């Protein structure tokens, strides 16, 4: 099932039952910090709720975990006949909060390393709702996979380096039987397409479908499929920002030196050997933060290091050289 119904809703229910309060429409704008004798303490959280400023006092036994940055920050949706707008870092609260916290000090990292290179960090994702069965039949015949069986289908010759993913259907609770959905993305969004003479970033949902159907070589079936599709593009300016070139200190420690009640979690804190973009990275940072701040004698699970496993290296070699495994 989809990640909202299978992960977000159960987690929300579990946490709510344990007293967690979710404050929606609330943007954290700053933290009040007290620096004393080499120790840092958060004393208050400043926020704007529905545009109105407010404050939460942080008590002596409270802890503050801050998710720094976000790969989906300032994302925007287009439509079947509208390309998504390209937003900037001021269009959300994540980078501005980190910039405010890190200003004038070195131990809270350097957010601009990740937020100032949108041309290198953006790509476009899209979701398509199909009101006809032909598209899934074509992909199944081409790949030999029923929906949900295969992984990514990448078009390696595509100028956009586009991929699609066909999940098991129905993907959503209540999804009608004659409706199916799939997801896709392109990594090189500034190059013109092979079938649409426009960079993917400037494309409407209709144009993205035209390009994908071109790669699938559906020919005369294309107009009928497009007429029965709703494709919504999503521009994500910072989606690969965590992979950008960085140096030591650009990402702060999960618990900065001297911090008594503040930790940084998410994709932009320092965790040696772990791989960003993954949910695991953020989860591990929250585990590390919690164990350290509460003084628990526990460690997050060790990072899996496949690069030192001869079996993994052998399989990688075979795959990279397009050889069949024996
Ligand atoms: C299209 C796509 C596909 C992906 N596929 C995979 C995959 O296959 N496998 C995988 O492991 N990972 C995948 N990921 C990555 C995964 O979703 C992220 O690693 C994960 O969600 C990061 O979690 P996070 O809690 O650190 O940050 P986020 O999920 O980015 O959460 C940060 C939250 O903080 C909020 N926020 C920001 N600023 C403020 C502020 N000032 N005040 C209040 N709130 C604020 C944001 O609104 C957001 O809700 C994918 C991501 C995308 C976008």
């Amino acid at each position: 099932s989809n990640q909202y119904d299978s992960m977000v809703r159960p987690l929300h229910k579990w946490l709510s039952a344990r007293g967690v309060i979710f404050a929606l429409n609330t943007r954290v704008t700053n933290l009040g910090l007290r620096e004393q004798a080499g120790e840092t303490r958060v004393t208050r959280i400043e926020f704007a709720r529905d545009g109105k400023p407010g404050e939460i006092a942080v008590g002596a036994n409270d802890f503050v975990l801050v998710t720094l940055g976000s790969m989906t920050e300032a994302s925007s949706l287009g439509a079947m006949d509208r390309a998504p707008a390209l937003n900037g870092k001021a269009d959300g609260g994540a980078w501005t909060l980190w910039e405010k916290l890190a200003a004038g000090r070195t131990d809270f990292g350097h957010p601009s390393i990740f937020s100032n290179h949108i041309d290198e960090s953006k790509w476009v994702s899209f979701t398509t709702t199909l009101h006809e069965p032909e598209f899934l039949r074509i992909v199944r015949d081409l790949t030999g996979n029923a929906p949900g069986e295969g992984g990514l289908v990448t078009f390696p010759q595509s100028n956009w380096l586009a991929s699609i993913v066909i999940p098991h259907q129905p993907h959503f609770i209540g999804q009608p039987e004659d409706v199916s959905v799939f997801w896709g993305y392109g990594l090189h969004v500034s190059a013109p397409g092979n079938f649409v003479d426009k960079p993917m970033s400037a494309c409407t949902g209709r144009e993205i479908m035209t390009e994908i159907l071109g790669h699938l070589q559906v020919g005369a079936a294309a107009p009928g499929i497009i007429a029965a599709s709703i494709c919504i593009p999503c521009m994500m300016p910072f989606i690969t920002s965590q992979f950008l070139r960085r140096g030591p200190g650009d990402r702060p420690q999960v618990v900065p030196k001297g911090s008594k009640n503040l930790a940084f979690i998410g994709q932009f804190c320092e965790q040696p050997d772990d791989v960003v973009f993954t949910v695991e990275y953020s989860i591990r940072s929250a585990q590390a933060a919690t164990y350290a701040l509460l003084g628990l004698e526990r460690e997050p699970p060790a990072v899996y290091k496949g690069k030192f496993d001869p079996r993994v290296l052998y399989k990688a070699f075979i795959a990279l050289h397009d050889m069949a495994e024996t």
Side-chain angles (χ1 to χ4, degrees):
S1 166
N2 68 81
Q3 293 164 1
Y4 180 70
D5 288 315
S6 62
M7 297 296 297
V8 175
R9 286 181 58 200
L11 274 172
H12 183 263
K13 190 173 164 194
W14 192 89
L15 291 168
S16 299
R18 282 155 184 80
V20 173
I21 297 164
F22 293 86
L24 301 180
N25 302 319
T26 305
R27 176 175 292 184
V28 176
T29 49
N30 205 358
L31 300 179
L33 298 174
R34 193 178 61 217
E35 315 274 352
Q36 225 168 31
E39 289 186 1
T40 305
R41 262 187 185 281
V42 185
T43 54
R44 64 175 195 284
I45 299 171
E46 297 171 15
F47 63 84
R49 180 166 301 151
D50 297 318
K52 290 198 202 82
E55 252 183 50
I56 299 171
V58 175
N61 297 321
D62 295 341
F63 297 97
V64 178
L65 273 57
V66 179
T67 303
L68 289 181
S70 173
M71 67 178 85
T72 51
E73 183 70 348
S75 296
S76 67
L77 296 179
M80 196 62 179
D81 289 303
R82 180 166 45 85
L86 177 63
N87 290 333
K89 65 177 176 180
D91 293 303
W95 302 116
T96 37
L97 174 62
W98 188 4
E99 276 167 5
K100 217 175 258 180
L101 295 176
R105 58 192 304 156
T106 53
D107 55 340
F108 285 4
H110 302 119
S112 60
I113 294 288
F114 307 102
S115 62
N116 277 4
H117 307 277
I118 290 179
D119 275 352
E120 294 177 71
S121 65
K122 67 173 192 265
W123 46 260
V124 170
S125 133
F126 60 93
T127 47
T128 300
T129 306
L130 298 155
H131 292 267
E132 60 79 58
E134 191 63 4
F135 182 89
L136 289 196
R137 192 192 57 71
I138 290 168
V139 176
R140 194 196 54 214
D141 290 352
L142 209 63
T143 61
N145 293 132
E149 274 180 14
L152 291 171
V153 178
T154 299
F155 305 106
Q157 74 285 15
S158 143
N159 290 348
W160 297 348
L161 196 54
S163 297
I164 55 172
V165 184
I166 317 267
H168 178 76
Q169 308 288 326
H171 188 56
F172 293 103
I173 293 171
Q175 181 180 322
E177 251 179 50
D178 56 350
V179 172
S180 47
V181 294
F182 76 95
W183 173 69
Y185 61 86
L187 296 181
H188 300 160
V189 298
S190 301
N194 304 82
F195 301 91
V196 174
D197 189 22
K198 264 189 186 180
M200 190 182 190
S201 54
C203 281
T204 64
R206 189 178 303 279
E207 289 160 340
I208 289 174
M209 280 302 287
T210 304
E211 178 77 10
I212 297 298
L213 293 171
H215 286 292
L216 290 169
Q217 300 177 4
V218 307
I225 294 174
I226 292 176
S229 308
I230 302 168
C231 174
I232 309 285
C234 177
M235 167 58 79
M236 299 177 292
F238 302 103
I239 185 69
T240 54
S241 54
Q242 60 283 37
F243 292 121
L244 290 172
R245 293 171 298 280
R246 60 183 157 76
D250 290 339
R251 306 188 299 192
Q253 299 298 317
V254 172
V255 179
K257 194 159 178 282
S259 165
K260 291 289 140 194
N261 66 350
L262 168 69
F264 294 126
I265 60 174
Q267 296 287 309
F268 299 89
C269 53
E270 190 63 37
Q271 295 192 97
D273 295 329
D274 205 351
V275 178
V276 284
F277 203 92
T278 62
V279 171
E280 286 93 325
Y281 195 95
S282 293
I283 292 175
R284 188 172 277 110
S285 70
Q287 290 173 318
T290 311
Y291 300 159
L293 288 178
L294 294 180
L296 303 180
E297 284 185 9
R298 285 184 69 176
E299 295 282 336
V303 175
Y304 169 70
K305 292 183 188 170
K307 63 179 188 248
F308 298 127
D309 182 338
R311 282 162 304 188
V312 174
L313 290 174
Y314 173 73
K315 282 193 169 161
F317 179 86
I318 297 292
L320 281 171
H321 292 79
D322 221 5
M323 292 155 69
E325 246 184 285
T326 49

